[in-house]
Amino acid sequence: MPNSQFSIPNDFVCKLYLLISIMVSVAELKTILAAGKVTEVRGNQAIAGEYQCLRNLNIYDDRQCEGLATQAAAGRNLRILLPQGGTEGLGDWGTREQGNKGTQRPAQDGQGDVLCPTPSVPQSPDLSVPQSPGLPISPTPAIFVELCEDDYPGWLPIGDLEQLQIAPEFYKAPVLSPEEIQDRLPAAIAFAKAAMKVPHEYLWGGTVAPNYDCSGLMQAAFASAGIRLPRDAYQQEAFLQAISFEELQPGDLIFFGLPGKRTSHVALHLGEKRYLHCSGKQGGRNGIGIDTISPDESSVGQFYYKQLRSAGRVVASYQPGDLDSFEFLA
């Protein structure tokens, strides 16, 4: 690790590794964390190194791993986040809002998808506070992580720790000019069209082929061209440069949502008012398709025309921490 990293007091490191051993009781976790180092302290969180995914991995909304939040593609980097204290197990962690990220990930309105909460960063009591002896320690089936490319948090199953390796190098976000992005848009559009041609279905939380959700498809399409976007539709809306519908060009994004709620759906504009998107069954389709911005469109197009909200243009590639300064529309 570079010498420029934060210096962590020895007593804190001892507490951290004691915490791991008494609370989690999973050999894989201790092995992989012992191989890395605590690299940064963020608030009450310790970042225990940066790791690279050896295969595609599912990231969940809760530590029971019951709701898919997102996916991490092979080769992608993530950070393992640990509390600085705590004695009762990960179940004792409280929550805090993640700034402008909010505390809920909006469901795809009208598509029958369950409203999945965005995981909140865990907190825990201080180890120095006296605890009642003899309290049972409940092992957790997951560890809290944050994806490096988009700052997206979630829970990684403990069994998947063996699918990580210490990252050969820290993630470095690409910096692109609007002109460079414009040159790469045809590749993003080609990726999305190709994804439509293979057997697939809509998957809430999906960002890895062949099954995507709406914003996961956008993120994957632009990533294929070397352009990074935030994870969720409402985050993508905040990140893009707002434009009018009259200004739409191929490669711009179109956003949808119900009045009084956050944006819940996103599509890729292809030109001539046609857009490509991945939608769920209740919207009239289970997967990727092409519709037109028109009240006289197919049943799917009509469904989304009623929720037409805004449009945006990608003029930058996402940098970690960008979302902290954004205001999200209600």
Side-chain angles (χ1 to χ4, degrees):
M1 297 293 181
N3 294 328
S4 60
Q5 291 175 353
F6 291 91
S7 176
I8 310 300
N10 288 335
D11 62 338
F12 171 73
V13 175
C14 292
K15 283 184 179 181
L16 180 63
Y17 281 92
L18 175 63
L19 175 67
I20 295 168
S21 63
I22 67 173
M23 290 201 324
V24 181
S25 302
V26 177
E28 297 98 322
L29 177 60
K30 291 189 291 185
T31 298
I32 196 166
L33 293 181
K37 293 182 180 179
V38 176
T39 60
E40 179 182 345
V41 173
R42 180 191 302 165
N44 76 327
Q45 295 295 308
I47 301 178
E50 190 166 314
Y51 299 88
Q52 186 179 67
C53 302
L54 297 176
R55 66 172 177 82
N56 299 337
L57 297 175
N58 290 335
I59 308 296
Y60 294 90
D61 284 310
D62 51 56
R63 83 179 170 278
Q64 286 76 33
C65 301
E66 294 176 348
L68 185 64
T70 191
Q71 294 174 311
R76 192 171 182 180
N77 284 15
L78 57 78
R79 310 176 190 96
I80 294 178
L81 304 183
L82 298 169
Q84 289 190 31
T87 61
E88 294 286 330
L90 299 183
D92 289 335
W93 286 0
T95 60
R96 71 169 173 84
E97 290 192 5
Q98 303 172 61
N100 283 327
K101 289 184 182 178
T103 56
Q104 282 191 329
R105 181 182 180 205
Q108 305 302 304
D109 291 317
Q111 295 181 21
D113 300 308
V114 178
L115 182 65
C116 296
T118 298
S120 296
V121 175
Q123 293 184 337
S124 68
D126 193 333
L127 270 177
S128 62
V129 177
Q131 302 294 324
S132 301
L135 292 176
I137 302 299
S138 299
T140 178
I143 191 71
F144 200 73
V145 301
E146 182 179 77
L147 303 185
C148 295
E149 291 174 5
D150 56 14
D151 297 323
Y152 209 76
W155 295 89
L156 178 72
I158 290 293
D160 283 343
L161 286 173
E162 63 185 20
Q163 302 302 326
L164 301 178
Q165 67 176 8
I166 297 177
E169 57 184 19
F170 289 120
Y171 172 69
K172 184 177 181 180
V175 178
L176 301 173
S177 68
E179 293 75 22
E180 289 173 316
I181 289 174
Q182 187 67 32
D183 291 340
R184 300 182 184 207
L185 292 181
I189 294 172
F191 179 97
K193 288 182 175 180
M196 183 173 62
K197 297 178 181 179
V198 301
H200 69 278
E201 61 184 9
Y202 177 89
L203 175 65
W204 171 269
T207 65
V208 176
N211 303 322
Y212 300 94
D213 64 15
C214 64
S215 55
L217 175 61
M218 299 301 106
Q219 192 181 56
F222 280 83
S224 73
I227 306 167
R228 304 301 178 186
L229 296 181
R231 173 63 184 89
D232 290 340
Y234 75 96
Q235 296 172 335
Q236 293 172 2
E237 179 186 38
F239 178 68
L240 268 58
Q241 180 185 81
I243 60 173
S244 67
F245 292 114
E246 290 72 28
E247 295 175 288
L248 277 169
Q249 298 176 3
D252 292 336
L253 299 187
I254 304 171
F255 299 96
F256 307 81
L258 295 176
K261 295 185 178 182
R262 282 181 172 173
T263 289
S264 59
H265 193 66
V266 59
L268 177 65
H269 187 242
L270 302 177
E272 299 179 347
K273 295 186 177 182
R274 298 165 62 248
Y275 61 89
L276 181 151
H277 61 136
C278 189
S279 58
K281 293 179 181 179
Q282 210 165 331
R285 182 183 294 122
N286 183 24
I288 305 170
I290 296 175
D291 295 291
T292 303
I293 303 176
S294 170
D296 302 321
E297 221 335 75
S298 65
S299 59
V300 177
Q302 291 177 17
F303 178 85
Y304 285 104
Y305 184 79
K306 296 175 183 177
Q307 300 184 43
L308 191 62
R309 178 169 180 157
S310 66
R313 178 161 298 153
V314 181
V315 295
S317 185
Y318 180 80
Q319 303 294 306
D322 276 351
L323 288 179
D324 292 340
S325 61
F326 292 154
E327 293 290 337
F328 296 115
L329 301 178

